[in-house]
Amino acid sequence: MSLWARSTQHAGAPRTGVSVNRRLSLLVLSELVTAALIVVAAAVALARLEGERAYMDRYVFAPLLDIGEAQVAGNELRDLLLPGRSEEEVATRARPALLRLRAFTERYQRDWETGISSLPEAKRLRAELERQGELKLLEKEHEAVGGTVHAVHAMELTTGMDGQAPAEPPLRGRDVAALDDGLVELNLVNLRYVQIGYRAFERIHRLITTSFIVISLGGIVAAGLLGFAVRQAIAPRVRRMLEAVQRFRERGAYERIEDEGDDDLTVLAHTLGLSFRSIAERDKERERFLAVAAHELKTPLTTLKGFAQVALAHREDPVLRERALAVLDRQSTRLARLVQDLLWSARAEAGQLPFHPGPVDLQVLARQVIGEVRLLCGAREFQLDSCADPHILGDSSLLEQSLWNLIVQAATLAPDRDPVQIGIEGSMTRVRLTVAARSRAEVPDDLDELIQPFQAPPFESRSDGLRSTGLGLHLVQEIARLHGARFEIERRPGPAVVSCLEFRR
Amino acid sequence: MRRDHVLIIDDDADLRELVAIGLADAHLTCVEAAGCVEALPLLDRDRARLRAVLLDYFMPGPSPAACARAILERVDPGVPVVLVSAAVDIAERAAELGLTRYLAKPFDLVQLHAVVSEVETG
């Protein structure tokens, strides 16, 4: 099992033991074994059939041909019994046939007489005769051979082949008949041998055929069972994944895909689960962003709508009308900034924040932003201290929004009427812009929380009406990243919170 | 004693001012608090004159649930505590806090008047 798969298993969860990899390996192995068995069986069968063919040729069919030739010689001797030949001619013409017959009887006794031969083929035929209950054929063969040998020997004597004078007559009819009888009997016995040999061949043929059928069927059954096992290991789990995909499409909610195996499907299920979770979390984040954005937009809208009604309803009251218009102006500025923050945050999330770099004077930019913020909160003091060359290369619109967000955030955190200090310092290679203010007690311990979208504490109870949008510092971070600048927030004695943007020249 | 006071608890100063102006048109007196902690003594002080309490959801200080519980313990029966929020699911949030009335932002002065006019107590 891979470390990854092991690490993703839930503690205490039951193991299903349905490893696709293992079952597929078994399936492939069974196919290989089946193929190997078929190849081996085919080789054995071919060798066996070749052996059978050679045995039949050499030991079963060959004697029949010799017996046939011996019968031809016997026929020649019978022809010599016909009248009209001299005794000398008969004796002379009988000798070649008798020589062939003697050679036949000697060869037959040496090679083919099954009852006494020590050849492996003879032993095999004897075993087959015993198997088929035909051992009496051996006796018949022996008698037929004996009769033939005796007849040939008698004719050799009467024809004078032993050096004596031929007898009168030199060829006797009873000897030729005895020779015929012996050869016919021998022929019949050998035909029975052919029959028995062929039965044995058929039995072997059936054995080979059966073996092939058994091996093939065994392979098919094994492959079928293992294929079914593989399917059982795959199908339910794939179905669970498909159902999870379907549920995710319908509900958009992440549900863990249960799969406790240890194979590639488990990896796939967990990857799918992680993807679903990632998509669901992103959707949830987007929904949360939209909900908070709607909330943030509706709050200034309420005061805009209400004070517009107040201004319309109290046309004859210049003080109230003036106050309503001032609130309208401030809230519309705040709303514009919020909308800008929302749009740029959305573009930053998509990696499409517009970036048009050019020369920027941070001191001039800071003065401009401070002037705008003062319009909203005249009572707040802003101190700008620049002791370095304030020129950098950057996008003035983005940097202006960053400065606005930093200054408003600092003013939001600071107690009423506490000054906000903006500093520009640096060296030949770097410019450091700091925005510092004393902080109230509600600042979170982890200052990075201030950078998270809409995570900043809602300090709306400003007497000066300032309020961070909740997106400001997150956007500052994105803008800093785009400029290759470093952005950090520090806590300093005071207690003060200092936001710092460090640019490279 | 006539119940002509309405307590607005919201950390947005502009909104509190708007509610005060709007209620003045209806001849009601608005009592303002920027947070829950600040509101509790006012509840004790003006209990007999309170007509309604308007409560924001997102504020620094105690949790909305704790704040709502503390307010409900201090108001007379029949005095409505109205949740005022820009939250998308304001009805659910009100039910969460045990409140039956709510006023969704953005609202206009007519809706504000309607909320406090529905309750004609004492």
Side-chain angles (χ1 to χ4, degrees):
Chain A
M1 187 196 307
S2 71
L3 283 176
W4 191 91
R6 192 179 291 131
S7 69
T8 53
Q9 284 195 357
H10 282 232
R15 290 279 305 278
T16 55
V18 286
S19 166
V20 174
N21 295 358
R22 200 173 300 134
R23 294 186 182 192
L24 276 174
S25 301
L26 282 174
L27 177 60
V28 171
L29 186 64
S30 80
E31 296 291 334
L32 288 175
V33 168
T34 304
L37 280 175
I38 288 174
V39 169
V40 170
V44 170
L46 284 175
R48 187 71 190 268
L49 287 174
E50 176 57 26
E52 286 298 310
R53 188 195 62 74
Y55 159 73
M56 293 291 281
D57 275 354
R58 282 201 314 271
Y59 195 76
V60 179
F61 296 128
L64 284 173
L65 295 176
D66 266 15
I67 291 168
E69 287 177 5
Q71 285 177 321
V72 171
N75 290 339
E76 289 173 8
L77 292 176
R78 190 183 299 113
D79 289 344
L80 293 176
L81 292 176
L82 295 174
R85 299 182 194 276
S86 65
E87 291 181 351
E88 188 179 346
E89 184 187 355
V90 170
T92 303
R93 295 190 64 175
R95 282 176 189 156
L98 287 172
L99 284 174
R100 279 157 42 210
L101 283 167
R102 181 189 285 179
F104 163 74
T105 54
E106 287 173 356
R107 188 164 63 249
Y108 195 96
Q109 284 178 309
R110 185 183 68 240
D111 295 339
W112 293 320
E113 189 173 346
T114 306
I116 59 173
S117 174
S118 59
L119 289 175
E121 290 87 347
K123 290 178 182 172
R124 182 171 164 184
L125 184 55
R126 283 202 294 273
E128 197 59 42
L129 290 171
E130 188 174 3
R131 188 199 307 270
Q132 296 189 25
E134 299 281 2
L135 279 175
K136 60 180 183 297
L137 285 175
L138 294 176
E139 293 172 16
K140 285 186 178 177
E141 183 188 30
H142 186 67
E143 286 172 8
V145 171
T148 304
V149 169
H150 181 75
V152 170
H153 183 66
M155 285 186 280
E156 283 175 344
L157 289 176
T158 55
T159 53
M161 284 180 68
D162 58 349
Q164 301 293 323
E168 290 181 8
L171 200 59
R172 294 178 295 195
R174 64 172 184 275
D175 293 335
V176 173
L179 175 66
D180 279 347
D181 291 345
L183 288 174
V184 168
E185 187 61 28
L186 210 50
N187 193 39
L188 288 172
V189 168
N190 275 275
L191 282 174
R192 286 284 293 144
Y193 286 168
V194 168
Q195 195 175 23
I196 287 165
Y198 188 72
R199 280 184 197 152
F201 178 83
E202 277 188 327
R203 199 178 63 250
I204 289 165
H205 186 267
R206 277 198 302 276
L207 180 66
I208 288 170
T209 305
T210 306
S211 300
F212 273 106
I213 289 172
V214 167
I215 291 170
S216 302
L217 284 178
I220 289 168
V221 169
L225 289 174
L226 286 169
F228 182 71
V230 170
R231 188 187 178 281
Q232 288 296 96
I234 292 175
R237 298 162 68 192
V238 170
R239 192 168 58 247
R240 278 200 294 275
M241 279 189 249
L242 286 174
E243 287 168 356
V245 171
Q246 187 68 23
R247 282 196 300 274
F248 185 76
R249 284 176 58 192
E250 288 170 358
R251 302 177 204 163
Y254 163 69
E255 291 174 27
R256 186 175 176 276
I257 300 173
E258 294 295 335
D259 194 305
E260 302 300 335
D262 57 357
D263 50 33
D264 294 344
L265 272 185
T266 308
V267 176
L268 178 63
H270 284 288
T271 308
L272 203 59
L274 287 175
S275 304
F276 284 167
R277 191 168 64 185
S278 173
I279 294 169
E281 282 172 359
R282 193 173 297 177
D283 285 351
K284 203 175 283 180
E285 186 67 24
R286 190 175 294 124
E287 280 174 19
R288 198 180 70 85
F289 182 87
L290 287 172
V292 177
H295 177 272
E296 294 295 305
L297 287 168
K298 283 198 265 183
T299 301
L301 268 178
T302 306
T303 43
L304 281 173
K305 190 174 182 180
F307 276 102
Q309 285 183 315
V310 167
L312 289 170
H314 297 272
R315 291 168 202 261
E316 70 290 347
D317 184 343
V319 176
L320 196 55
R321 186 180 166 80
E322 190 69 23
R323 173 63 188 154
L325 290 174
V327 174
L328 281 173
D329 182 49
R330 187 173 62 244
Q331 289 290 354
S332 58
T333 303
R334 175 181 158 190
L335 189 60
R337 285 287 174 183
L338 175 58
V339 169
Q340 190 63 49
D341 275 357
L342 285 169
L343 287 175
W344 277 359
S345 289
R347 296 188 75 173
E349 284 295 313
Q352 295 172 341
L353 208 55
F355 183 56
H356 305 293
V360 175
D361 185 331
L362 285 178
Q363 192 174 354
V364 170
L365 204 61
R367 281 207 186 99
Q368 179 189 325
V369 173
I370 290 169
E372 288 179 26
V373 177
R374 274 199 181 116
L375 290 176
L376 300 182
C377 48
R380 173 80 65 180
E381 187 184 349
F382 296 93
Q383 298 169 349
L384 175 61
D385 183 17
S386 176
C387 55
D389 178 4
H391 293 93
I392 62 165
L393 193 65
D395 185 305
S396 60
S397 298
L398 295 178
L399 291 173
E400 188 256 340
Q401 187 77 12
S402 294
L403 259 171
W404 171 278
N405 284 331
L406 289 174
I407 292 171
V408 169
Q409 182 71 34
T412 306
L413 293 176
D416 291 348
R417 298 185 186 284
D418 258 32
V420 174
Q421 295 171 324
I422 299 104
I424 300 171
E425 56 193 47
S427 63
M428 292 293 287
T429 57
R430 294 179 188 278
V431 177
R432 193 174 161 85
L433 172 75
T434 57
V435 179
R438 214 155 58 87
S439 67
R440 296 192 295 177
E442 292 90 340
V443 175
D445 292 337
D446 183 4
L447 291 177
D448 283 343
E449 284 182 18
L450 294 173
I451 299 176
Q452 300 304 314
F454 297 118
Q455 291 297 313
F459 298 128
E460 293 189 59
S461 56
R462 312 291 326 152
S463 62
D464 52 18
L466 274 180
R467 186 187 182 211
S468 165
T469 62
L471 281 170
L473 296 187
H474 179 66
L475 189 57
V476 170
Q477 189 180 44
E478 290 300 312
I479 292 171
R481 193 179 52 76
L482 212 55
H483 283 79
R486 194 159 58 93
F487 175 55
E488 57 188 16
I489 305 174
E490 301 168 1
R491 198 190 302 272
R492 288 186 186 169
V497 171
V498 181
S499 301
C500 174
L501 269 173
E502 188 175 281
F503 299 92
R504 283 175 293 193
R505 289 191 193 277
Chain B
M1 189 179 289
R2 182 167 179 261
R3 288 188 179 272
D4 59 356
H5 280 43
V6 174
L7 174 60
I8 168 77
I9 309 169
D10 197 308
D11 58 345
D12 188 335
D14 284 344
L15 187 83
R16 293 199 306 271
E17 186 181 353
L18 174 67
V19 170
I21 294 169
L23 292 178
D25 291 345
H27 308 292
L28 294 170
T29 303
C30 182
V31 184
E32 298 180 31
C36 195
V37 175
E38 194 182 318
L40 297 183
L42 299 177
L43 283 166
D44 292 333
R45 189 191 72 187
D46 296 330
R47 181 171 187 156
R49 306 191 68 174
L50 273 182
R51 181 188 186 86
V53 177
L54 305 179
L55 172 65
D56 186 21
Y57 190 88
F58 292 111
M59 286 187 296
S63 69
C67 185
R69 200 163 46 243
I71 292 168
L72 288 170
E73 284 169 2
R74 285 170 172 78
V75 294
D76 287 335
V79 174
V81 179
V82 182
L83 181 67
V84 181
S85 175
V88 178
D89 48 353
I90 185 169
E92 288 170 30
R93 287 179 190 260
E96 216 173 82
L97 302 182
L99 307 180
T100 53
R101 293 169 184 268
Y102 55 85
L103 181 60
K105 293 178 183 176
F107 57 83
D108 57 25
L109 296 180
V110 176
Q111 289 168 304
L112 177 65
H113 290 160
V115 164
V116 293
S117 301
E118 281 173 13
V119 282
E120 291 292 347
T121 56

